[in-house]
């Protein structure tokens, strides 16, 4: 029996809209504290074994046939230039289009990318991918807990896994959870019941650590919420240094029972 073919890609940036310096394509291309932009087989060879979401997704199991497209990460900074966003998004979309008979997609994203033209860069990337693959292909996404997510993002992603630690020590674990969610959806052969709620306040980033309260207690509750029709519940604190409409907290739930996830 053949394995499901899953296209994988990563495009991460945490955008501080108050920072005066733009983030150009070269910052993504060249790397630095993070690996430089990699394509194709180099995605698997470079990121396997690393404590990054893509690394965790790759190493979680051998039950998928992975089709690696691209992975890139730039250090936090100002607005992502339209040139950088369009070039990298274009490479990802072209890779998805060129993939043969894929059964799903995994995206290693951040959740707080703002470009010169788009307040929710992740939602726009998903829109462009959906134009190619349609509404029904499963797309699993992993996110940093400092995401500012819109309803458009929620509606375009099939399932989402989010870091549960800050400082972030569970990045690979989060990628592994995204793979488990994608596996569950493929095994069921049907979309998840999904629910999303956005809170109406912003929590200062200096109070978000999960090594003290209330972060430790809030994120500590999440694993026990799974079960009885709920496959996962995840929470973003948000990234306050972003002057965007959806800045702040939101909660994501996925499962088999709509009333349970609601």
């Amino acid at each position: 029996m053949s394995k499901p073919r899953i296209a994988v890609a990563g495009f991460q940036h945490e955008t501080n809209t108050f920072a005066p310096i733009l983030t150009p394509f070269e910052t993504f291309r060249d790397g630095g504290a993070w690996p430089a932009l990699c394509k194709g087989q180099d995605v698997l060879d470079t990121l396997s074994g690393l404590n990054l979401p893509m690394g965790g997704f790759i190493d979680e199991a051998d039950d998928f046939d992975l089709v690696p497209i691209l992975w890139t990460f730039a250090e936090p900074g100002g607005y992502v230039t339209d040139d950088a966003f369009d070039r990298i998004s274009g490479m990802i979309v072209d890779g998805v289009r060129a993939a043969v008979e894929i059964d799903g997609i995994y995206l290693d994203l951040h959740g707080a990318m703002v470009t010169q033209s788009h307040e929710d860069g992740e939602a726009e990337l998903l829109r462009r991918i959906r134009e190619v693959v349609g509404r029904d292909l499963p797309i699993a996404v992993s996110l940093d807990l400092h995401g500012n997510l819109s309803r458009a993002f929620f509606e375009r992603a099939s399932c989402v896994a989010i870091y549960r630690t800050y400082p972030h020590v569970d990045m690979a674990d989060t990628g592994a959870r995204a793979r488990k969610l994608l596996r569950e959806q493929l095994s069921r052969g049907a979309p998840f019941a999904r629910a999303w709620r956005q809170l109406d306040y912003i929590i200062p980033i200096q109070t978000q650590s999960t090594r003290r309260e209330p972060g430790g207690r809030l994120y500590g509750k999440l694993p026990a919420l799974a079960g009885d029709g709920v496959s996962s519940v995840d929470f973003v604190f948000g990234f306050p240094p972003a002057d965007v409409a959806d800045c702040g907290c939101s909660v994501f739930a996925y499962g088999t029972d709509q009333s349970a996830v609601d």
Side-chain angles (χ1 to χ4, degrees):
M1 183 175 179
S2 61
K3 300 176 183 178
R5 284 174 51 81
I6 307 299
V8 301
F11 185 9
Q12 285 214 29
H13 190 256
E14 183 178 73
T15 306
N16 182 334
T17 66
F18 302 97
I21 300 174
L22 297 176
T23 303
F25 174 78
E26 290 74 18
T27 306
F28 290 96
R29 180 195 64 195
D30 298 340
W34 305 92
L37 187 151
C38 45
K39 301 178 183 178
Q41 183 61 37
D42 284 346
V43 173
L44 307 184
D45 294 342
T46 301
L47 301 177
S48 177
L50 297 185
N51 185 22
L52 293 171
M54 182 64 77
F57 189 92
I58 294 167
D59 297 336
E60 157 62 17
D62 190 29
D63 52 351
F64 293 158
D65 179 12
L66 300 185
V67 183
I69 296 172
L70 172 152
W71 185 92
T72 186
F73 190 122
E75 293 290 344
Y79 287 97
V80 175
T81 64
D82 285 344
D83 171 70
F85 183 75
D86 290 343
R87 289 170 69 179
I88 295 169
S89 295
M91 287 187 277
I92 293 172
V93 171
D94 288 346
V96 169
R97 185 181 289 113
V100 179
E101 297 182 355
I102 57 173
D103 299 291
I105 297 171
Y106 163 64
L107 299 174
D108 175 6
L109 306 179
H110 183 281
M113 181 189 296
V114 186
T115 78
Q116 289 175 299
S117 296
H118 303 287
E119 285 197 353
D120 187 340
E122 286 80 6
E124 174 61 17
L125 174 61
L126 281 166
R127 186 192 68 79
R128 296 181 187 192
I129 292 172
R130 286 290 182 201
E131 285 188 339
V132 173
V133 303
R135 296 175 54 188
D136 299 329
L137 188 79
I139 300 179
V141 182
S142 61
L143 296 173
D144 191 301
L145 63 75
H146 293 129
N148 297 319
L149 286 313
S150 65
R151 177 166 291 279
F153 169 83
F154 166 72
E155 291 176 347
R156 294 165 185 163
S158 304
C159 54
V160 175
I162 299 168
Y163 302 172
R164 293 176 174 175
T165 62
Y166 176 47
H168 308 315
V169 296
D170 67 331
M171 292 186 286
D173 290 343
T174 303
R177 286 193 293 111
R179 184 161 178 156
K180 291 174 182 176
L181 283 172
L182 181 57
R183 181 188 306 134
E184 181 179 342
Q185 179 166 344
L186 291 172
S187 297
R188 291 182 63 237
F192 281 114
R194 303 180 297 160
W196 175 77
R197 302 290 185 271
Q198 189 174 70
L199 286 66
D200 60 357
Y201 56 90
I202 297 172
I203 298 174
I205 198 166
Q206 65 268 27
T207 67
Q208 292 183 8
S209 175
T210 58
R211 291 182 177 175
R212 58 177 181 263
E213 300 305 334
R217 177 171 54 86
L218 289 171
Y219 281 90
K221 289 176 176 286
L222 295 177
L225 295 176
D228 296 326
V230 178
S231 299
S232 73
V233 180
D234 273 312
F235 172 60
V236 287
F237 262 138
F239 186 61
D243 186 14
V244 297
D246 291 290
C247 181
C249 311
S250 54
V251 185
F252 296 74
Y254 300 89
T256 58
D257 181 276
Q258 189 63 54
S259 63
V261 297
D262 285 339

